[in-house]
């Protein structure tokens, strides 16, 4: 995954790139030239980079907020990383992060009275496991899924994680979480359409309902 942010009005000409969740991670940084590597102290793996003074060469001088970097821009960043003497390299990640999902299976969480474990088909090779606490979640629903790498309207970032010991790969969203105007005040996910598990939905057509 690759999240990138640019806010010249606040930070100046600095591109922030995030590669992994840094929540509760002991981290350090190393600066070489115009590149700063942020890494996990325990694993030494890079969790992000800051790039200084590359706005013009990347063509992002007038951008503000989250960016979607293309291959040419990522190649420029990889050249900067290599020239600085770091061994890591970045990969383009422009896969959709907000998608329509079909809840194929749902079971109760073994260590919670309100969480459920779903197997949700999002059009990938196999369903993804998502833990959901919404009271209206049910098998057979069409829902909106924020996959890892998504950034919610509030700025919250979605990363792979776990809830009470169970792995969860994304979030099934409510209308409020998606920033939809006049969203219902009561708790619950946004259900696009009811269906039956195994119906074989056309995901490309279904996503037009949301996008």
């Amino acid at each position: 995954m690759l999240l990138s942010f640019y806010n010249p009005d606040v930070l100046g000409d600095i591109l922030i790139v995030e590669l992994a969740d840094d929540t509760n991670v002991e981290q350090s940084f190393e600066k070489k030239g115009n590149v700063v590597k942020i890494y996990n102290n325990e694993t030494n793996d890079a969790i992000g980079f800051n790039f200084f003074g590359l706005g013009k060469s990347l063509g992002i001088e007038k951008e503000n907020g989250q960016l979607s970097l293309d291959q040419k821009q990522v190649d420029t960043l990889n050249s900067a990383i290599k020239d600085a003497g770091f061994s890591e390299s970045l990969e383009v990640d422009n896969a959709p992060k907000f998608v329509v999902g079909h809840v194929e299976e749902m079971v109760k969480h073994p260590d919670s009275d309100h969480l459920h474990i779903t197997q949700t088909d999002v059009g990938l090779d196999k369903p993804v496991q998502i833990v959901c606490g919404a009271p209206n979640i049910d098998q057979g629903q069409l829902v909106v899924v924020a996959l890892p790498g998504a950034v919610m309207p509030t700025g919250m970032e979605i990363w792979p994680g776990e809830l009470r010991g169970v792995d969860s790969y994304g979030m099934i969203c409510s209308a409020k979480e998606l920033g939809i105007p006049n969203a219902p005040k009561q708790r619950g996910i946004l259900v696009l359409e009811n269906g039956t598990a195994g119906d074989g939905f056309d995901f490309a057509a279904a996503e037009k309902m949301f996008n």
Side-chain angles (χ1 to χ4, degrees), residues 67-71 92-97:
L67 304 181
S68 179
L69 302 177
D70 60 26
Q71 186 63 61
V92 172
D93 180 14
N94 287 329
K97 303 305 179 187

Side-chain angles (χ1 to χ4, degrees), residues 109-131:
H109 192 294
D111 190 32
S112 171
D113 59 0
H114 72 281
L115 295 175
H116 290 86
I117 305 169
T118 76
Q119 302 298 325
T120 301
D121 190 348
V122 294
L124 301 177
D125 293 339
K126 61 181 181 179
V128 296
Q129 180 168 286
I130 301 175
V131 178

